[in-house]
Amino acid sequence: LYAIHLPLHEPFVISYHTYHFMPSIIVKIETDEGITGYGEAVADEHVTGETWESTYQIIKNTLAPAVLGHNPMEIERLHDLMNMSIYTAPTAKAAIDIACFDIIGKKLKQPVYQLIGGRYHDEFSLTHVLSIAEPDVMANEAAAHVAKGYQSFKMKVGTNAKQDVKRIQAVRARVGEDIAIRVDVNQGWKNSSTTLIALNQLQNCHLDWIEQPVMADDIDGMVEIKSKSIIPLMIDEGLKGSREMLEIIQKRAADKLNIKLMKCGGIYPAIKLAHQAELAGLDCQIGSMVESSVGSAAGYHVAFSKKNITTVELTGPLKFSKDIGNLAYDVPYIRLSDKPGLGVEINEETLHELTIYHDIVR
């Protein structure tokens, strides 16, 4: 169990925090047959209530003792054991889940996507994420990445609605009409009234969607926005597991769903959410908490295997100056290999270099 800090090329700025590095937990599980699997947990206290420190302790003292000695191929049983040992804590559980899928793939000599439905997508285009900055700074960054071949952007906003409108308008004016722009508010506009005022000013910006403008638990606020705006609406922080998914579907609270392995508990719960969405005729995205190659690869395996997952935002490894794994990007695209398990090789030297503290649980 490794508690690490992943160094960023530049600070990552969103509505509620500025990250100078990403705190992550890496889990390394060894089986009695000598197979090693890696998992990852990147906690966000603003989304699931978990912190880097609490996630480490939960895995060390609760989840690891619950799963040690069990068959890593029995994923349903393992999740039941974890759920009985602690309520919620999805990020901590995701690390165990991902490591077990890595083990299963290596045991069967198959990539994870072949274990969960098989490859459906051949590739995904990458979306560059623009951190919150002044309008001209965000516009300049967007223009520079268009020159690199990027065709879509996710703009982080949410600190001030009026200024956010100027940021979005500036980026649209700079990149032209043919580039896709998605806007992620990260709950920053708080309520439906502020959101609707902002969206009224953005109707001519031709946005793909607005993501989570209101507080996570305000499903009714999402319903109101969706009913009064022509701009498509994506839910993120408001969707964690099947319970929220059911309410979102029943109330028709969003046009698209952002599934994150760290919010729902890993690969296996993410697949269940995608199936639940498919029954309701809804498309999904696999998003990220800015994980390393380990967590990002896990998300990609889910995305590549499901027809109704139509976009991805898993570019954490591109933001790090050092990464523990070698997930390969073909910018501006991602194409998974056919290597077994997660398909990622771990640099143990870098892992130890980035480790703040670690433990062994037997």
Side-chain angles (χ1 to χ4, degrees), residues 84-102:
M84 288 189 294
S85 68
I86 187 168
Y87 178 67
T88 66
T91 305
K93 293 170 183 175
I96 304 290
D97 169 284
I98 293 167
C100 288
F101 269 103
D102 194 25

PDB file of all heavy atoms in Angstrom, residues 84-102:
ATOM      1  N   MET A  84     -19.864  -5.103   3.269  1.00  0.00           N
ATOM      2  CA  MET A  84     -20.210  -5.500   4.632  1.00  0.00           C
ATOM      3  C   MET A  84     -19.202  -4.971   5.656  1.00  0.00           C
ATOM      4  O   MET A  84     -19.537  -4.784   6.821  1.00  0.00           O
ATOM      5  CB  MET A  84     -20.309  -7.030   4.734  1.00  0.00           C
ATOM      6  CG  MET A  84     -21.533  -7.615   4.059  1.00  0.00           C
ATOM      7  SD  MET A  84     -21.761  -9.384   4.427  1.00  0.00           S
ATOM      8  CE  MET A  84     -20.326 -10.091   3.618  1.00  0.00           C
ATOM      9  N   SER A  85     -17.983  -4.702   5.191  1.00  0.00           N
ATOM     10  CA  SER A  85     -16.946  -4.252   6.121  1.00  0.00           C
ATOM     11  C   SER A  85     -17.005  -2.750   6.377  1.00  0.00           C
ATOM     12  O   SER A  85     -16.589  -2.283   7.438  1.00  0.00           O
ATOM     13  CB  SER A  85     -15.563  -4.634   5.600  1.00  0.00           C
ATOM     14  OG  SER A  85     -15.235  -3.905   4.436  1.00  0.00           O
ATOM     15  N   ILE A  86     -17.518  -1.967   5.403  1.00  0.00           N
ATOM     16  CA  ILE A  86     -17.636  -0.523   5.591  1.00  0.00           C
ATOM     17  C   ILE A  86     -18.687   0.036   4.640  1.00  0.00           C
ATOM     18  O   ILE A  86     -18.791  -0.392   3.486  1.00  0.00           O
ATOM     19  CB  ILE A  86     -16.284   0.190   5.382  1.00  0.00           C
ATOM     20  CG1 ILE A  86     -16.396   1.675   5.767  1.00  0.00           C
ATOM     21  CG2 ILE A  86     -15.785   0.040   3.960  1.00  0.00           C
ATOM     22  CD1 ILE A  86     -15.049   2.371   5.870  1.00  0.00           C
ATOM     23  N   TYR A  87     -19.459   1.002   5.129  1.00  0.00           N
ATOM     24  CA  TYR A  87     -20.498   1.653   4.319  1.00  0.00           C
ATOM     25  C   TYR A  87     -19.850   2.693   3.406  1.00  0.00           C
ATOM     26  O   TYR A  87     -18.989   3.457   3.824  1.00  0.00           O
ATOM     27  CB  TYR A  87     -21.519   2.308   5.247  1.00  0.00           C
ATOM     28  CG  TYR A  87     -22.626   3.050   4.533  1.00  0.00           C
ATOM     29  CD1 TYR A  87     -23.566   2.368   3.773  1.00  0.00           C
ATOM     30  CD2 TYR A  87     -22.736   4.430   4.631  1.00  0.00           C
ATOM     31  CE1 TYR A  87     -24.589   3.033   3.130  1.00  0.00           C
ATOM     32  CE2 TYR A  87     -23.751   5.115   4.005  1.00  0.00           C
ATOM     33  CZ  TYR A  87     -24.678   4.411   3.243  1.00  0.00           C
ATOM     34  OH  TYR A  87     -25.689   5.092   2.599  1.00  0.00           O
ATOM     35  N   THR A  88     -20.271   2.734   2.178  1.00  0.00           N
ATOM     36  CA  THR A  88     -19.766   3.629   1.115  1.00  0.00           C
ATOM     37  C   THR A  88     -18.249   3.458   0.941  1.00  0.00           C
ATOM     38  O   THR A  88     -17.796   2.375   0.651  1.00  0.00           O
ATOM     39  CB  THR A  88     -20.172   5.103   1.334  1.00  0.00           C
ATOM     40  OG1 THR A  88     -19.543   5.615   2.497  1.00  0.00           O
ATOM     41  CG2 THR A  88     -21.683   5.231   1.446  1.00  0.00           C
ATOM     42  N   ALA A  89     -17.447   4.545   1.093  1.00  0.00           N
ATOM     43  CA  ALA A  89     -15.998   4.507   0.825  1.00  0.00           C
ATOM     44  C   ALA A  89     -15.689   3.959  -0.573  1.00  0.00           C
ATOM     45  O   ALA A  89     -14.855   3.063  -0.735  1.00  0.00           O
ATOM     46  CB  ALA A  89     -15.272   3.695   1.890  1.00  0.00           C
ATOM     47  N   PRO A  90     -16.322   4.502  -1.637  1.00  0.00           N
ATOM     48  CA  PRO A  90     -16.151   3.920  -2.976  1.00  0.00           C
ATOM     49  C   PRO A  90     -14.740   4.044  -3.528  1.00  0.00           C
ATOM     50  O   PRO A  90     -14.286   3.156  -4.264  1.00  0.00           O
ATOM     51  CB  PRO A  90     -17.149   4.708  -3.831  1.00  0.00           C
ATOM     52  CG  PRO A  90     -17.319   6.005  -3.111  1.00  0.00           C
ATOM     53  CD  PRO A  90     -17.234   5.658  -1.659  1.00  0.00           C
ATOM     54  N   THR A  91     -14.042   5.121  -3.191  1.00  0.00           N
ATOM     55  CA  THR A  91     -12.690   5.298  -3.731  1.00  0.00           C
ATOM     56  C   THR A  91     -11.745   4.230  -3.211  1.00  0.00           C
ATOM     57  O   THR A  91     -10.943   3.665  -3.962  1.00  0.00           O
ATOM     58  CB  THR A  91     -12.155   6.699  -3.379  1.00  0.00           C
ATOM     59  OG1 THR A  91     -13.084   7.691  -3.847  1.00  0.00           O
ATOM     60  CG2 THR A  91     -10.812   6.955  -4.012  1.00  0.00           C
ATOM     61  N   ALA A  92     -11.847   3.946  -1.919  1.00  0.00           N
ATOM     62  CA  ALA A  92     -11.017   2.896  -1.330  1.00  0.00           C
ATOM     63  C   ALA A  92     -11.324   1.544  -1.966  1.00  0.00           C
ATOM     64  O   ALA A  92     -10.415   0.762  -2.288  1.00  0.00           O
ATOM     65  CB  ALA A  92     -11.246   2.849   0.181  1.00  0.00           C
ATOM     66  N   LYS A  93     -12.607   1.252  -2.172  1.00  0.00           N
ATOM     67  CA  LYS A  93     -13.001  -0.022  -2.773  1.00  0.00           C
ATOM     68  C   LYS A  93     -12.551  -0.125  -4.228  1.00  0.00           C
ATOM     69  O   LYS A  93     -12.240  -1.224  -4.716  1.00  0.00           O
ATOM     70  CB  LYS A  93     -14.522  -0.192  -2.662  1.00  0.00           C
ATOM     71  CG  LYS A  93     -15.013  -0.360  -1.233  1.00  0.00           C
ATOM     72  CD  LYS A  93     -16.522  -0.288  -1.130  1.00  0.00           C
ATOM     73  CE  LYS A  93     -16.974  -0.379   0.330  1.00  0.00           C
ATOM     74  NZ  LYS A  93     -18.429  -0.189   0.481  1.00  0.00           N
ATOM     75  N   ALA A  94     -12.515   1.030  -4.917  1.00  0.00           N
ATOM     76  CA  ALA A  94     -12.098   1.023  -6.323  1.00  0.00           C
ATOM     77  C   ALA A  94     -10.682   0.495  -6.475  1.00  0.00           C
ATOM     78  O   ALA A  94     -10.372  -0.225  -7.436  1.00  0.00           O
ATOM     79  CB  ALA A  94     -12.210   2.425  -6.914  1.00  0.00           C
ATOM     80  N   ALA A  95      -9.797   0.848  -5.540  1.00  0.00           N
ATOM     81  CA  ALA A  95      -8.402   0.398  -5.632  1.00  0.00           C
ATOM     82  C   ALA A  95      -8.309  -1.122  -5.591  1.00  0.00           C
ATOM     83  O   ALA A  95      -7.554  -1.738  -6.367  1.00  0.00           O
ATOM     84  CB  ALA A  95      -7.586   1.019  -4.505  1.00  0.00           C
ATOM     85  N   ILE A  96      -9.089  -1.752  -4.696  1.00  0.00           N
ATOM     86  CA  ILE A  96      -9.098  -3.214  -4.595  1.00  0.00           C
ATOM     87  C   ILE A  96      -9.689  -3.826  -5.860  1.00  0.00           C
ATOM     88  O   ILE A  96      -9.153  -4.788  -6.437  1.00  0.00           O
ATOM     89  CB  ILE A  96      -9.906  -3.664  -3.360  1.00  0.00           C
ATOM     90  CG1 ILE A  96      -9.364  -3.021  -2.078  1.00  0.00           C
ATOM     91  CG2 ILE A  96      -9.928  -5.183  -3.263  1.00  0.00           C
ATOM     92  CD1 ILE A  96      -8.023  -3.508  -1.632  1.00  0.00           C
ATOM     93  N   ASP A  97     -10.812  -3.290  -6.298  1.00  0.00           N
ATOM     94  CA  ASP A  97     -11.503  -3.773  -7.500  1.00  0.00           C
ATOM     95  C   ASP A  97     -10.580  -3.740  -8.716  1.00  0.00           C
ATOM     96  O   ASP A  97     -10.455  -4.721  -9.465  1.00  0.00           O
ATOM     97  CB  ASP A  97     -12.745  -2.905  -7.725  1.00  0.00           C
ATOM     98  CG  ASP A  97     -13.415  -3.108  -9.073  1.00  0.00           C
ATOM     99  OD1 ASP A  97     -12.882  -2.604 -10.086  1.00  0.00           O
ATOM    100  OD2 ASP A  97     -14.477  -3.724  -9.120  1.00  0.00           O
ATOM    101  N   ILE A  98      -9.909  -2.613  -8.929  1.00  0.00           N
ATOM    102  CA  ILE A  98      -9.041  -2.457 -10.104  1.00  0.00           C
ATOM    103  C   ILE A  98      -7.881  -3.441 -10.057  1.00  0.00           C
ATOM    104  O   ILE A  98      -7.543  -4.074 -11.072  1.00  0.00           O
ATOM    105  CB  ILE A  98      -8.538  -1.000 -10.189  1.00  0.00           C
ATOM    106  CG1 ILE A  98      -9.703  -0.043 -10.499  1.00  0.00           C
ATOM    107  CG2 ILE A  98      -7.448  -0.869 -11.255  1.00  0.00           C
ATOM    108  CD1 ILE A  98      -9.366   1.422 -10.305  1.00  0.00           C
ATOM    109  N   ALA A  99      -7.277  -3.590  -8.885  1.00  0.00           N
ATOM    110  CA  ALA A  99      -6.157  -4.530  -8.749  1.00  0.00           C
ATOM    111  C   ALA A  99      -6.595  -5.960  -9.041  1.00  0.00           C
ATOM    112  O   ALA A  99      -5.850  -6.733  -9.666  1.00  0.00           O
ATOM    113  CB  ALA A  99      -5.551  -4.420  -7.347  1.00  0.00           C
ATOM    114  N   CYS A 100      -7.794  -6.316  -8.600  1.00  0.00           N
ATOM    115  CA  CYS A 100      -8.294  -7.670  -8.853  1.00  0.00           C
ATOM    116  C   CYS A 100      -8.554  -7.905 -10.340  1.00  0.00           C
ATOM    117  O   CYS A 100      -8.250  -8.982 -10.870  1.00  0.00           O
ATOM    118  CB  CYS A 100      -9.551  -7.934  -8.026  1.00  0.00           C
ATOM    119  SG  CYS A 100      -9.230  -8.139  -6.259  1.00  0.00           S
ATOM    120  N   PHE A 101      -9.108  -6.918 -11.026  1.00  0.00           N
ATOM    121  CA  PHE A 101      -9.305  -7.072 -12.472  1.00  0.00           C
ATOM    122  C   PHE A 101      -7.966  -7.181 -13.188  1.00  0.00           C
ATOM    123  O   PHE A 101      -7.843  -7.926 -14.182  1.00  0.00           O
ATOM    124  CB  PHE A 101     -10.121  -5.904 -13.035  1.00  0.00           C
ATOM    125  CG  PHE A 101     -11.599  -6.151 -13.040  1.00  0.00           C
ATOM    126  CD1 PHE A 101     -12.418  -5.576 -12.078  1.00  0.00           C
ATOM    127  CD2 PHE A 101     -12.183  -6.959 -14.000  1.00  0.00           C
ATOM    128  CE1 PHE A 101     -13.786  -5.814 -12.072  1.00  0.00           C
ATOM    129  CE2 PHE A 101     -13.547  -7.200 -14.016  1.00  0.00           C
ATOM    130  CZ  PHE A 101     -14.356  -6.627 -13.044  1.00  0.00           C
ATOM    131  N   ASP A 102      -6.956  -6.454 -12.721  1.00  0.00           N
ATOM    132  CA  ASP A 102      -5.622  -6.572 -13.301  1.00  0.00           C
ATOM    133  C   ASP A 102      -5.102  -7.999 -13.140  1.00  0.00           C
ATOM    134  O   ASP A 102      -4.531  -8.582 -14.068  1.00  0.00           O
ATOM    135  CB  ASP A 102      -4.675  -5.574 -12.615  1.00  0.00           C
ATOM    136  CG  ASP A 102      -3.363  -5.388 -13.365  1.00  0.00           C
ATOM    137  OD1 ASP A 102      -3.329  -5.608 -14.591  1.00  0.00           O
ATOM    138  OD2 ASP A 102      -2.368  -4.995 -12.714  1.00  0.00           O
TER     139      ASP A 102
END
